[in-house]
Amino acid sequence: MAREAWGRWGAEDEAGAPNLAGPAEVLRAASLVRTGRVVPLAQTLHAAMPVPGHRAGMSHFMGRDGGDYAAGAKRPGGFQFAEDTVVLPLHSGTHVDALCHAWCDDLMYNGFPGSAVRSTTGAQRLGVEKLPPLVTRGILLDLAQDGPLADGTPVGRAMLEAAAARAGVVPEPGDAVLLRTGWLEAQEGRPRRLISFDAEPGLDEEGAVWLAGAGVALVGADNYAIEVLPFPPGQVFPVHQRLLRDHGIPLLEGMQLKPLAEAGATAFLFVAAALPIKGATGSPLTPVAVL
Amino acid sequence: MAREAWGRWGAEDEAGAPNLAGPAEVLRAASLVRTGRVVPLAQTLHAAMPVPGHRAGMSHFMGRDGGDYAAGAKRPGGFQFAEDTVVLPLHSGTHVDALCHAWCDDLMYNGFPGSAVRSTTGAQRLGVEKLPPLVTRGILLDLAQDGPLADGTPVGRAMLEAAAARAGVVPEPGDAVLLRTGWLEAQEGRPRRLISFDAEPGLDEEGAVWLAGAGVALVGADNYAIEVLPFPPGQVFPVHQRLLRDHGIPLLEGMQLKPLAEAGATAFLFVAAALPIKGATGSPLTPVAVL
Amino acid sequence: MAREAWGRWGAEDEAGAPNLAGPAEVLRAASLVRTGRVVPLAQTLHAAMPVPGHRAGMSHFMGRDGGDYAAGAKRPGGFQFAEDTVVLPLHSGTHVDALCHAWCDDLMYNGFPGSAVRSTTGAQRLGVEKLPPLVTRGILLDLAQDGPLADGTPVGRAMLEAAAARAGVVPEPGDAVLLRTGWLEAQEGRPRRLISFDAEPGLDEEGAVWLAGAGVALVGADNYAIEVLPFPPGQVFPVHQRLLRDHGIPLLEGMQLKPLAEAGATAFLFVAAALPIKGATGSPLTPVAVL
Amino acid sequence: MAREAWGRWGAEDEAGAPNLAGPAEVLRAASLVRTGRVVPLAQTLHAAMPVPGHRAGMSHFMGRDGGDYAAGAKRPGGFQFAEDTVVLPLHSGTHVDALCHAWCDDLMYNGFPGSAVRSTTGAQRLGVEKLPPLVTRGILLDLAQDGPLADGTPVGRAMLEAAAARAGVVPEPGDAVLLRTGWLEAQEGRPRRLISFDAEPGLDEEGAVWLAGAGVALVGADNYAIEVLPFPPGQVFPVHQRLLRDHGIPLLEGMQLKPLAEAGATAFLFVAAALPIKGATGSPLTPVAVL
């Protein structure tokens, strides 16, 4: 009932469920391309993005810019350039949670100790750089076809099955399953300080286990934390624990799924490649759907 | 002879040559998938990466980690997690140069003023978030099949044509052209402080113009700056100026191309999606080849 | 009426009014020490400090800590240590505004051009490292003896003279004048998001000019911006412009003055030494009063 | 023989030896002011400062600057300003080591556990904000009157006593003792990459214990680590352990002492006030001597 995927790909495995998206799944996914339309699935990253109260936003600093030339900076050989630096909390915007992001009982996915994640080294095990780029079939389960789900709505097996039926798809091994709850769209235009990160519609444990049982390689959603908030009484991030730790399934949070839904996409070539930051617990990225 | 691409996609265009990789090119690229093998093309990002002297390296900070739990931190509901932040110069590791990265005569690609790039706003025009994810045919031009090119070797049209002939490919509109010079591989194992960023083999202006003339959507390479260093006398980053500014062609620097060469890949599905950081001049990313 | 101090200490002067606190003023100040009590005048700096909406807060990251040892990190020779890094906006907490912080008409104090302050170099003129440590007589003008002034209360000459009379002091050349408005104390215990930076009691232009006319070396206060907010109609930070730019008087914002008032201090040895960050526009610091 | 100061100022004390600089010592120090000359004792902080290989340098970013106005930024009401942010490793430049910086046997000064220093909270005990500003007598022990000491020279009791005799001073309880080894001066003009942090002249354990026995409140020096490098065989930072942990004496590293020596200063009013960063292990600061 727990630790279902531990040992499945060997005692040293640090990739988890993305192992299920092998060459055959890549070929299947490539064959789904019909129109050649590319749909980016990421939010824009910027300093004014809403963030939960316990987290800092990103900062973006220009080290050199056009203003410097306007102010008289030299341009050797005529060359002018600009460059910049970000201070970037890695769970910002649209991002993947690496398998070292969450755990319990001091043990992470595949039995690696939580103590392998340290200030001095980052994650010595299960860092985001251990996740291979994912190229596989993506399926969109649209739960918001009638408008955003209400905050606190748990998305369980029945809702997932109904959405899959509407889409005419069935989750299969190696799939990237993308859940549209409408949460992100519902925040649009709201003043930043009025956006709550305490409640959202999202996956419940039953739904999570059902997806894991289908062999999915990744679960993504357009909400803040994949799973329903508030948590069931006495539990804290149960879906994170079940999917990341027990099933080795990375989570892709904060996706922009409205354009995909509006395009009527249901099954498509999906590509998601994190920044290979050594020892990191996550990474912003731009997943793409190719229709 | 200069500003060749200005106005080609309209006065307001901020995407440049990636416009050449439209649905037809996506379909062509998807049809190239043969084995389903996915090859990531990025260097690992870490604090000890070599960087040129005028740039800072990245820093990676854990905000919460396994050590905190070992030291006694509470685990409400049993939940444990780790999270982290990077200070990330955006031209680190394998990264794309956005079209606002380099210019001359105070004008950037498509005539946008350099003064649109400011400390307060970042790039109001041509920021990296304006580059669409690129899904297109990639071709590998392997210039290092007999070992790394010597530092200072200019890669011109003849060498490019010879490499293309060896690979049995011809650069076509919308292609992502990847140049393997062997530079990155030659640095492997060198102590960080002995790695020079003053000399490298790379594209010269003739070669760059030839690629641009072929209609390529992007030029990538495994060296530090795409172009040959040192520059020809009196010039400073001439290839950056010609490709980014005149032709609107983004550059993809610091790629890891050895595995692709070793796989014998010549033409393949190529996907590159930058972080959509508002107003940024570039972005690390993980390009992938799908064979 | 404007630019009063320009040229007073020479065309190349970058120190401004602190020039008025010379050896004689230092000796005078040292002679004021009576009890040997040291009163620190700075707020604690931490990540949860309230900041105005357009600014980021500080971040504090541990690079090595006790948790790492609890998790098993090695301790060569038994040695254990911790170290850390801050991302620190320089106008955080109790801080000094350097003379390059504010200007108008493209000219800063002493006629230096605003264009000398660039992304690439920081402030080539008037950076905070050009401010000498200030050791001089401090005087406390307590405007909040009956409780915090209401937001929007302008502090003009009459209020300053009355406070000085109550304290039995007269501002003299070289003095550091500290204004207690009660603003900071009034924020204590308020939830961070309810703290407004749009209104506060503070110095008005008349009061500022009166202090400048007295020859003070520095003006400090316990509010966010020294001057009254909102501004008089049509003006933006007029006191910053008059004091920093016209009179070369650095400002010391966000001071913790309640303990000084409670100690009954009126004239004392005052020491304020900024971090000498090359080209910076300000610096957090810990001013001290020695009673 | 170890843990000499534990419990001396109570089981909850987090200030350590600075407790020895009380009102009487402040009064004594103030009485030493003779000429009113103020000598700052800090290095300038800038991005190109040499740092040991395992540490990152500081970065300085302008968020708004004169270039932005040159490029056309608006100036409401005529007001122009600049502001900036630093990424600042706290043991940069001239800085104080807080009592939580180093320890052994999992116990810090006064028996507080090393596990109180965590990523999530910083140092819950002995953070730099717990160090009171130090206002006391400073004495300069000039070991470099004949030129910089050679790297690796241990400074023991005899050298300290000889230097004190030359200066005509005796270390007394509450003193800040400043050691000039000449190391910092010897690095001036050296290319950054040639500066070694593996060897330096500095205090040895015998010298450290002698100073601690005299009751000093703080030990400062012009070298990188106070203590001699390389360490004696089998030991790692023994002076850090003895002074910080056993005696509760903060260390002030990287001081600029040449101007003080050139002024012939031997005993003077000394003021050092760290940034009160909650939970930090150290802080850059600008100590001053008042002659």
mmCIF file of all heavy atoms in Angstrom, chain A residues 205-230:
data_model
loop_
_atom_site.group_PDB
_atom_site.id
_atom_site.type_symbol
_atom_site.label_atom_id
_atom_site.label_comp_id
_atom_site.label_asym_id
_atom_site.label_seq_id
_atom_site.Cartn_x
_atom_site.Cartn_y
_atom_site.Cartn_z
ATOM 1 N N GLU A 205 -6.118 11.723 -2.500
ATOM 2 C CA GLU A 205 -5.245 10.551 -2.459
ATOM 3 C C GLU A 205 -5.787 9.421 -3.333
ATOM 4 O O GLU A 205 -5.041 8.739 -4.026
ATOM 5 C CB GLU A 205 -5.066 10.085 -1.011
ATOM 6 C CG GLU A 205 -4.023 8.991 -0.893
ATOM 7 C CD GLU A 205 -3.718 8.620 0.547
ATOM 8 O OE1 GLU A 205 -4.098 9.388 1.469
ATOM 9 O OE2 GLU A 205 -3.093 7.560 0.747
ATOM 10 N N GLU A 206 -7.106 9.268 -3.314
ATOM 11 C CA GLU A 206 -7.705 8.203 -4.131
ATOM 12 C C GLU A 206 -7.397 8.408 -5.611
ATOM 13 O O GLU A 206 -6.979 7.497 -6.327
ATOM 14 C CB GLU A 206 -9.220 8.186 -3.900
ATOM 15 C CG GLU A 206 -9.939 7.133 -4.698
ATOM 16 C CD GLU A 206 -11.397 7.516 -4.964
ATOM 17 O OE1 GLU A 206 -11.647 8.667 -5.453
ATOM 18 O OE2 GLU A 206 -12.270 6.690 -4.720
ATOM 19 N N GLY A 207 -7.570 9.661 -6.042
ATOM 20 C CA GLY A 207 -7.277 9.956 -7.442
ATOM 21 C C GLY A 207 -5.807 9.757 -7.759
ATOM 22 O O GLY A 207 -5.441 9.240 -8.826
ATOM 23 N N ALA A 208 -4.972 10.151 -6.830
ATOM 24 C CA ALA A 208 -3.534 10.015 -7.041
ATOM 25 C C ALA A 208 -3.132 8.552 -7.185
ATOM 26 O O ALA A 208 -2.372 8.174 -8.080
ATOM 27 C CB ALA A 208 -2.776 10.665 -5.878
ATOM 28 N N VAL A 209 -3.678 7.747 -6.314
ATOM 29 C CA VAL A 209 -3.323 6.329 -6.345
ATOM 30 C C VAL A 209 -3.853 5.677 -7.628
ATOM 31 O O VAL A 209 -3.201 4.812 -8.216
ATOM 32 C CB VAL A 209 -3.869 5.628 -5.085
ATOM 33 C CG1 VAL A 209 -3.759 4.111 -5.211
ATOM 34 C CG2 VAL A 209 -3.102 6.131 -3.858
ATOM 35 N N TRP A 210 -4.992 6.140 -8.058
ATOM 36 C CA TRP A 210 -5.533 5.576 -9.302
ATOM 37 C C TRP A 210 -4.624 5.913 -10.488
ATOM 38 O O TRP A 210 -4.329 5.045 -11.332
ATOM 39 C CB TRP A 210 -6.944 6.130 -9.542
ATOM 40 C CG TRP A 210 -7.580 5.576 -10.776
ATOM 41 C CD1 TRP A 210 -8.065 4.309 -10.962
ATOM 42 C CD2 TRP A 210 -7.784 6.282 -12.007
ATOM 43 N NE1 TRP A 210 -8.567 4.167 -12.225
ATOM 44 C CE2 TRP A 210 -8.413 5.362 -12.909
ATOM 45 C CE3 TRP A 210 -7.529 7.571 -12.457
ATOM 46 C CZ2 TRP A 210 -8.755 5.711 -14.219
ATOM 47 C CZ3 TRP A 210 -7.881 7.924 -13.749
ATOM 48 C CH2 TRP A 210 -8.479 7.008 -14.613
ATOM 49 N N LEU A 211 -4.156 7.152 -10.543
ATOM 50 C CA LEU A 211 -3.234 7.526 -11.628
ATOM 51 C C LEU A 211 -1.931 6.742 -11.519
ATOM 52 O O LEU A 211 -1.382 6.264 -12.524
ATOM 53 C CB LEU A 211 -2.941 9.032 -11.569
ATOM 54 C CG LEU A 211 -4.099 9.947 -11.980
ATOM 55 C CD1 LEU A 211 -3.735 11.410 -11.712
ATOM 56 C CD2 LEU A 211 -4.443 9.751 -13.459
ATOM 57 N N ALA A 212 -1.431 6.630 -10.299
ATOM 58 C CA ALA A 212 -0.189 5.883 -10.121
ATOM 59 C C ALA A 212 -0.374 4.433 -10.572
ATOM 60 O O ALA A 212 0.501 3.848 -11.222
ATOM 61 C CB ALA A 212 0.255 5.949 -8.662
ATOM 62 N N GLY A 213 -1.520 3.879 -10.243
ATOM 63 C CA GLY A 213 -1.796 2.498 -10.628
ATOM 64 C C GLY A 213 -1.844 2.314 -12.138
ATOM 65 O O GLY A 213 -1.545 1.238 -12.665
ATOM 66 N N ALA A 214 -2.208 3.393 -12.832
ATOM 67 C CA ALA A 214 -2.239 3.318 -14.292
ATOM 68 C C ALA A 214 -0.844 3.403 -14.903
ATOM 69 O O ALA A 214 -0.679 3.231 -16.106
ATOM 70 C CB ALA A 214 -3.122 4.431 -14.844
ATOM 71 N N GLY A 215 0.137 3.719 -14.052
ATOM 72 C CA GLY A 215 1.515 3.741 -14.548
ATOM 73 C C GLY A 215 1.938 5.059 -15.156
ATOM 74 O O GLY A 215 2.871 5.091 -15.978
ATOM 75 N N VAL A 216 1.323 6.140 -14.736
ATOM 76 C CA VAL A 216 1.698 7.415 -15.348
ATOM 77 C C VAL A 216 3.115 7.810 -14.940
ATOM 78 O O VAL A 216 3.593 7.465 -13.861
ATOM 79 C CB VAL A 216 0.695 8.535 -14.993
ATOM 80 C CG1 VAL A 216 -0.724 8.101 -15.364
ATOM 81 C CG2 VAL A 216 0.787 8.921 -13.538
ATOM 82 N N ALA A 217 3.782 8.534 -15.819
ATOM 83 C CA ALA A 217 5.163 8.945 -15.585
ATOM 84 C C ALA A 217 5.252 10.266 -14.848
ATOM 85 O O ALA A 217 6.272 10.559 -14.206
ATOM 86 C CB ALA A 217 5.899 9.068 -16.921
ATOM 87 N N LEU A 218 4.213 11.072 -14.954
ATOM 88 C CA LEU A 218 4.227 12.421 -14.371
ATOM 89 C C LEU A 218 2.789 12.882 -14.218
ATOM 90 O O LEU A 218 1.938 12.563 -15.053
ATOM 91 C CB LEU A 218 5.001 13.369 -15.294
ATOM 92 C CG LEU A 218 5.020 14.868 -14.971
ATOM 93 C CD1 LEU A 218 6.388 15.461 -15.316
ATOM 94 C CD2 LEU A 218 3.940 15.624 -15.736
ATOM 95 N N VAL A 219 2.545 13.637 -13.145
ATOM 96 C CA VAL A 219 1.248 14.280 -12.977
ATOM 97 C C VAL A 219 1.456 15.784 -12.934
ATOM 98 O O VAL A 219 2.272 16.284 -12.147
ATOM 99 C CB VAL A 219 0.540 13.805 -11.684
ATOM 100 C CG1 VAL A 219 -0.753 14.583 -11.467
ATOM 101 C CG2 VAL A 219 0.260 12.312 -11.749
ATOM 102 N N GLY A 220 0.745 16.477 -13.782
ATOM 103 C CA GLY A 220 0.811 17.936 -13.793
ATOM 104 C C GLY A 220 -0.552 18.526 -13.539
ATOM 105 O O GLY A 220 -1.564 17.860 -13.702
ATOM 106 N N ALA A 221 -0.566 19.780 -13.118
ATOM 107 C CA ALA A 221 -1.848 20.444 -12.919
ATOM 108 C C ALA A 221 -1.653 21.948 -12.989
ATOM 109 O O ALA A 221 -0.529 22.451 -12.955
ATOM 110 C CB ALA A 221 -2.477 20.043 -11.589
ATOM 111 N N ASP A 222 -2.782 22.622 -13.093
ATOM 112 C CA ASP A 222 -2.757 24.076 -13.208
ATOM 113 C C ASP A 222 -2.961 24.757 -11.867
ATOM 114 O O ASP A 222 -3.231 25.951 -11.826
ATOM 115 C CB ASP A 222 -3.831 24.540 -14.192
ATOM 116 C CG ASP A 222 -5.235 24.228 -13.692
ATOM 117 O OD1 ASP A 222 -5.377 23.456 -12.721
ATOM 118 O OD2 ASP A 222 -6.194 24.759 -14.279
ATOM 119 N N ASN A 223 -2.831 23.994 -10.800
ATOM 120 C CA ASN A 223 -2.978 24.622 -9.483
ATOM 121 C C ASN A 223 -1.615 24.748 -8.818
ATOM 122 O O ASN A 223 -0.580 24.466 -9.415
ATOM 123 C CB ASN A 223 -3.989 23.850 -8.633
ATOM 124 C CG ASN A 223 -3.596 22.394 -8.476
ATOM 125 O OD1 ASN A 223 -2.500 21.996 -8.886
ATOM 126 N ND2 ASN A 223 -4.471 21.610 -7.894
ATOM 127 N N TYR A 224 -1.669 25.139 -7.565
ATOM 128 C CA TYR A 224 -0.435 25.484 -6.871
ATOM 129 C C TYR A 224 0.294 24.258 -6.337
ATOM 130 O O TYR A 224 1.515 24.226 -6.251
ATOM 131 C CB TYR A 224 -0.802 26.477 -5.760
ATOM 132 C CG TYR A 224 0.092 26.531 -4.577
ATOM 133 C CD1 TYR A 224 1.450 26.859 -4.724
ATOM 134 C CD2 TYR A 224 -0.389 26.275 -3.290
ATOM 135 C CE1 TYR A 224 2.277 26.927 -3.614
ATOM 136 C CE2 TYR A 224 0.439 26.352 -2.192
ATOM 137 C CZ TYR A 224 1.769 26.661 -2.357
ATOM 138 O OH TYR A 224 2.591 26.722 -1.274
ATOM 139 N N ALA A 225 -0.455 23.228 -5.979
ATOM 140 C CA ALA A 225 0.154 22.120 -5.251
ATOM 141 C C ALA A 225 -0.346 20.753 -5.699
ATOM 142 O O ALA A 225 -0.258 19.795 -4.951
ATOM 143 C CB ALA A 225 -0.100 22.285 -3.757
ATOM 144 N N ILE A 226 -0.879 20.647 -6.897
ATOM 145 C CA ILE A 226 -1.431 19.401 -7.419
ATOM 146 C C ILE A 226 -2.632 18.939 -6.604
ATOM 147 O O ILE A 226 -3.697 18.657 -7.153
ATOM 148 C CB ILE A 226 -0.384 18.248 -7.463
ATOM 149 C CG1 ILE A 226 0.829 18.650 -8.320
ATOM 150 C CG2 ILE A 226 -1.024 16.953 -7.954
ATOM 151 C CD1 ILE A 226 0.589 18.749 -9.805
ATOM 152 N N GLU A 227 -2.453 18.911 -5.300
ATOM 153 C CA GLU A 227 -3.461 18.251 -4.479
ATOM 154 C C GLU A 227 -4.429 19.243 -3.845
ATOM 155 O O GLU A 227 -4.159 20.437 -3.757
ATOM 156 C CB GLU A 227 -2.802 17.398 -3.407
ATOM 157 C CG GLU A 227 -1.982 18.109 -2.387
ATOM 158 C CD GLU A 227 -1.226 17.076 -1.527
ATOM 159 O OE1 GLU A 227 -1.856 16.387 -0.727
ATOM 160 O OE2 GLU A 227 0.010 16.967 -1.680
ATOM 161 N N VAL A 228 -5.552 18.715 -3.418
ATOM 162 C CA VAL A 228 -6.604 19.552 -2.840
ATOM 163 C C VAL A 228 -6.143 20.167 -1.518
ATOM 164 O O VAL A 228 -5.473 19.529 -0.716
ATOM 165 C CB VAL A 228 -7.905 18.730 -2.655
ATOM 166 C CG1 VAL A 228 -7.705 17.587 -1.671
ATOM 167 C CG2 VAL A 228 -9.057 19.635 -2.233
ATOM 168 N N LEU A 229 -6.494 21.421 -1.349
ATOM 169 C CA LEU A 229 -6.235 22.146 -0.113
ATOM 170 C C LEU A 229 -7.563 22.710 0.366
ATOM 171 O O LEU A 229 -8.339 23.193 -0.460
ATOM 172 C CB LEU A 229 -5.254 23.294 -0.331
ATOM 173 C CG LEU A 229 -3.857 22.934 -0.818
ATOM 174 C CD1 LEU A 229 -3.046 24.198 -1.039
ATOM 175 C CD2 LEU A 229 -3.158 22.008 0.162
ATOM 176 N N PRO A 230 -7.855 22.728 1.648
ATOM 177 C CA PRO A 230 -7.044 22.165 2.740
ATOM 178 C C PRO A 230 -6.953 20.636 2.646
ATOM 179 O O PRO A 230 -7.743 19.988 1.969
ATOM 180 C CB PRO A 230 -7.797 22.587 4.007
ATOM 181 C CG PRO A 230 -8.969 23.384 3.589
ATOM 182 C CD PRO A 230 -9.101 23.315 2.125
#
